[in-house]
Amino acid sequence: MGLTIATWNVNSVKARLPVVSGWIASARPDVLLLQELKCETASFPAEAFAALGYEGAVVGQKAYNGVALLARRGLAVSDVITALPGDPDDGQARYVEATVAGLRVASLYLPNGNPVDSEKYPYKLRWMERLRAHAARLLADEVPLVLGGDFNIIPEPEDVYAPSEWREDALFRPESRRAFRALLNLGLTEAFRALHPAQPRAWTFWDYQAGCWPRDLGLRIDHFLLAPRAADRLLSCTIDRAPRGQEKASDHTPVILELSH
DNA sequence: ATGGTTGTTGGACAA
């Protein structure tokens, strides 16, 4: 058993507390990356996570966004940064990065970008370029980087139930996928596809609407990207569908990465 | 083609 890192867009940490707590208690990941907290930093339910043995860094804001990077007590979380470099005027709580277990780990919530004819889409592309520039600097120093989170990117047609219907969506447009490939072309490994090159219908998100979950109409948009020093240690990357089927579920389900020690 | 849901928040907006 290696070191495990889980990522989960919880779509409100307060609304999701029972479901998330139950999952943590059984899955017991070493590191837990959360997105879409939808609460301010000060109102994050840190006590509930501390009671489960998890502490770390939280970056929240009122109503929207919000990310956390927590680790099992005993695994120190140090050298925290609470924003993606490259735009001091960007106040959205979408990025937290820290050193834990000898790795440099980020929990990120990449902008959705819809509708594409609004200012939201260029913001998404600028954010991706900032991420690429930041990752390039860390890779140049051979940092064992792990980027985990909701990338809001459908990398390939097999990562969406109906590619033709999503062609113009911000999650699947050519410019979005090109920006994601530019990230990979730095030398990052997309952990799930590296280990499961042909696994179909490996969704991490199912819309609440139109019976997407019961009909299994989903997307694969939650990812782990690994620098060579982390990819060399890749043991497994799995999607746990079970939490999506529970009462009061998030629309995303956890992805779990395992690295050798 | 439309409407279908959930969360924050108290009427839209985001996803």
Side-chain angles (χ1 to χ4, degrees):
Chain A
M1 180 72 173
L3 181 91
T4 55
I5 306 176
T7 184
W8 195 359
N9 177 324
V10 293
N11 184 20
S12 170
V13 71
K14 290 178 183 173
R16 218 61 64 210
L17 206 47
V19 164
V20 171
S21 298
W23 186 80
I24 294 171
S26 60
R28 301 300 302 168
D30 294 304
V31 181
L32 179 62
L33 313 179
L34 302 176
Q35 300 88 35
E36 271 207 271
L37 303 177
K38 291 187 168 179
C39 69
E40 292 178 287
T41 308
S43 63
F44 179 81
E47 326 71 40
F49 288 91
L52 291 160
Y54 289 80
E55 292 168 358
V58 177
V59 184
Q61 72 180 82
K62 190 183 173 89
Y64 304 118
N65 307 320
V67 288
L69 188 164
L70 308 175
R72 238 180 350 91
R73 197 171 296 121
L75 284 177
V77 174
S78 65
D79 302 295
V80 176
I81 67 167
T82 57
L84 180 63
D87 183 359
D89 295 329
D90 183 358
Q92 299 193 25
R94 295 182 176 276
Y95 193 87
V96 61
E97 178 190 299
T99 299
V100 57
L103 300 163
R104 192 71 184 158
V105 182
S107 174
L108 67 89
Y109 178 45
L110 208 146
N112 177 293
N114 284 305
V116 295
D117 59 357
S118 73
E119 72 295 331
K120 292 179 181 195
Y121 192 58
Y123 172 66
K124 176 180 193 148
L125 295 179
R126 285 198 308 275
W127 205 95
M128 293 185 79
E129 170 51 25
R130 286 163 58 197
L131 181 60
R132 194 203 58 76
H134 179 60
R137 285 190 294 271
L138 295 175
L139 288 168
D141 292 337
E142 301 190 27
V143 171
L145 178 67
V146 175
L147 299 176
D150 178 0
F151 282 72
N152 270 314
I153 291 286
I154 299 162
E156 300 294 338
E158 54 267 35
D159 297 314
V160 50
Y161 63 90
S164 59
E165 291 178 25
W166 286 77
R167 203 175 47 208
E168 291 305 316
D169 191 278
L171 278 61
F172 194 54
R173 300 195 108 206
E175 297 96 313
S176 306
R177 295 173 59 202
R178 192 177 306 132
F180 187 72
R181 288 197 302 274
L183 207 47
L184 299 181
N185 290 341
L186 295 171
L188 294 168
T189 297
E190 202 256 275
F192 184 85
R193 245 346 147 205
L195 292 174
H196 309 285
Q199 184 174 320
R201 311 188 75 77
W203 318 135
T204 66
F205 165 91
W206 297 256
D207 200 303
Y208 287 125
Q209 303 182 71
C212 285
W213 167 250
R215 299 198 289 157
D216 194 29
L217 305 179
L219 316 174
R220 193 175 70 90
I221 55 176
D222 301 87
H223 308 299
F224 279 106
L225 269 46
L226 312 183
R229 289 263 161 103
D232 286 344
R233 296 164 53 185
L234 179 55
L235 291 178
S236 69
C237 185
T238 57
I239 299 165
D240 184 356
R241 296 190 158 227
R244 184 62 181 83
Q246 293 186 282
E247 284 301 311
K248 290 277 288 177
S250 170
D251 42 5
H252 296 249
T253 213
V255 183
I256 306 97
L257 177 77
E258 185 187 5
L259 303 179
S260 60
H261 283 291

